[in-house]
Amino acid sequence: MAWSGDPIWLADVLREAGLNVIEHEGWRERGHGDFADIRGVLCHHTAGGGTNDWRIVQYGRSDLPGPLAQLVLERDGTYRVIAAGVCWHAGRGSWPGWPTNNANYHVIGIEAVSRGYGDDWTDVQLDAYKRGVAAILARIGRSADQGCVAHREYSSEGKVDPAGIDMDAFRADVQHFIDNGEDDAELSAAEVNQITSFIAAFCGPIGSDVKDIRQELTGGRDAGENPGLASVYDLRSGKPEDQIFHASLARYVLEIDAKLETLLKALGEVDTQRTGRRCADCPLPQEETHAA
């Protein structure tokens, strides 16, 4: 459905899309007045590329008071919710269905952290960019063609952001997420990171215990290791009851061990296909809260 007034639902909508969110203290009351009807999302880059870019977006510059956008998208795919009210980000320009030179009162701004040359986007950041825009547009009842716009496409002042992003392809991906919804969408890069990190942390000590039991029952896999109970009981014969018991236990342990390894490998392959890197390289995002 269409929405009029401030988007106080921003944090919830982004989280429901599987994205990592940091809510800055006071964001619901921050802004330069209240929205009219919300018609879309304007995509920007910060042109800084550092970890403190959000400070300029929240507090502004000497020539322009903050907030300068409702959202900041970090390079690790985390969204910072800066403000719910109107922000100074659009400038002068036009887009079909948007008021000329007055988009600030009608569109949500996302400032994605980047140096602004188009060569430093991370895969997890781009994935979160598309999913975040899709979640917002779905909430306000707009399609990607209607409501997903680059600052350079809107601006009559020579803006170039977000540099390096093909907006036609970007909009196609955004529309895919809108059409399929969260139930049918693939896991986001952030969700893959969280699942993999959890499994790795949880299964680490268990994996070690499994290896110890496996060595006792079946012998070590490396040369010179304990031959294990398999050599003592000749588990392969499988006739005496004690041999059958130990053989069954050994098979069970090996099956569990193999399933854990298969699961971690599968998650790694999923992340490689989506982002070009292994899940083991992805740190678990940490939630935090920043005071104004």
Side-chain angles (χ1 to χ4, degrees):
M1 66 179 68
W3 179 268
S4 294
D6 293 345
I8 56 176
W9 37 259
L10 274 175
D12 292 336
V13 163
L14 293 173
R15 284 200 181 96
E16 287 169 4
L19 299 163
N20 298 313
V21 177
I22 297 172
E23 297 182 54
H24 285 226
E25 185 177 338
W27 71 269
R28 290 179 178 83
E29 293 76 40
R30 187 175 292 116
H32 304 289
D34 297 327
F35 272 91
D37 61 310
I38 299 178
R39 305 184 189 184
V41 177
L42 198 57
C43 300
H44 305 262
H45 64 228
T46 60
T51 57
N52 289 316
D53 285 12
W54 68 268
R55 294 182 181 276
I56 295 175
V57 177
Q58 179 164 323
Y59 300 117
R61 311 187 304 259
S62 60
D63 62 330
L64 190 63
L68 305 183
Q70 286 77 21
L71 299 168
V72 172
L73 175 58
E74 296 287 356
R75 288 170 54 76
D76 67 354
T78 297
Y79 275 95
R80 294 180 180 273
V81 186
I82 302 294
V86 171
C87 298
W88 304 145
H89 64 96
R92 299 176 63 82
S94 63
W95 184 261
W98 294 10
T100 300
N101 300 331
N102 193 32
N104 285 325
Y105 287 85
H106 299 272
V107 300
I108 292 168
I110 301 178
E111 288 280 358
V113 175
S114 168
R115 293 190 302 269
Y117 299 108
D119 60 356
D120 62 341
W121 298 110
T122 67
D123 292 316
V124 68
Q125 184 182 29
L126 289 174
D127 180 67
Y129 213 162
K130 298 168 187 175
R131 290 175 185 271
V133 172
I136 293 169
L137 293 181
R139 179 64 178 81
I140 65 174
R142 297 272 176 165
S143 69
D145 285 338
Q146 293 172 319
C148 175
V149 183
H151 195 198
R152 66 175 183 267
E153 295 176 312
Y154 165 84
S155 178
S156 60
E157 301 174 300
K159 301 298 183 181
V160 299
D161 53 323
I165 294 180
D166 180 335
M167 289 306 295
D168 289 334
F170 189 92
R171 275 187 284 268
D173 289 341
V174 168
Q175 191 61 48
H176 171 79
F177 289 128
I178 294 173
D179 292 341
N180 288 281
E182 184 61 21
D183 291 339
D184 294 330
E186 297 176 353
L187 287 175
S188 70
E191 289 172 319
V192 171
N193 292 350
Q194 288 181 313
I195 293 171
T196 305
S197 297
F198 172 79
I199 292 175
F202 183 72
C203 294
I206 293 180
S208 177
D209 292 341
V210 169
K211 181 179 179 181
D212 291 342
I213 297 172
R214 180 183 60 221
Q215 286 194 185
E216 285 298 317
L217 291 172
T218 65
R221 290 183 290 188
D222 299 328
E225 288 186 349
N226 171 22
L229 294 174
S231 64
V232 176
Y233 288 94
D234 188 17
L235 301 184
R236 292 181 178 81
S237 67
K239 293 182 179 180
E241 291 186 1
D242 57 348
Q243 294 176 19
I244 294 174
F245 169 77
H246 285 95
S248 298
L249 183 58
R251 283 194 298 271
Y252 174 76
V253 170
L254 289 173
E255 287 173 2
I256 294 297
D257 193 23
K259 287 178 180 179
L260 289 174
E261 291 179 359
T262 300
L263 178 58
L264 288 172
K265 180 180 178 182
L267 283 170
E269 290 173 350
V270 168
D271 194 54
T272 299
Q273 294 171 2
R274 292 181 52 78
T275 68
R277 57 179 185 162
R278 301 293 296 181
C279 285
D281 300 327
C282 305
L284 180 63
Q286 299 295 321
E287 289 197 4
E288 53 181 313
T289 300
H290 287 269

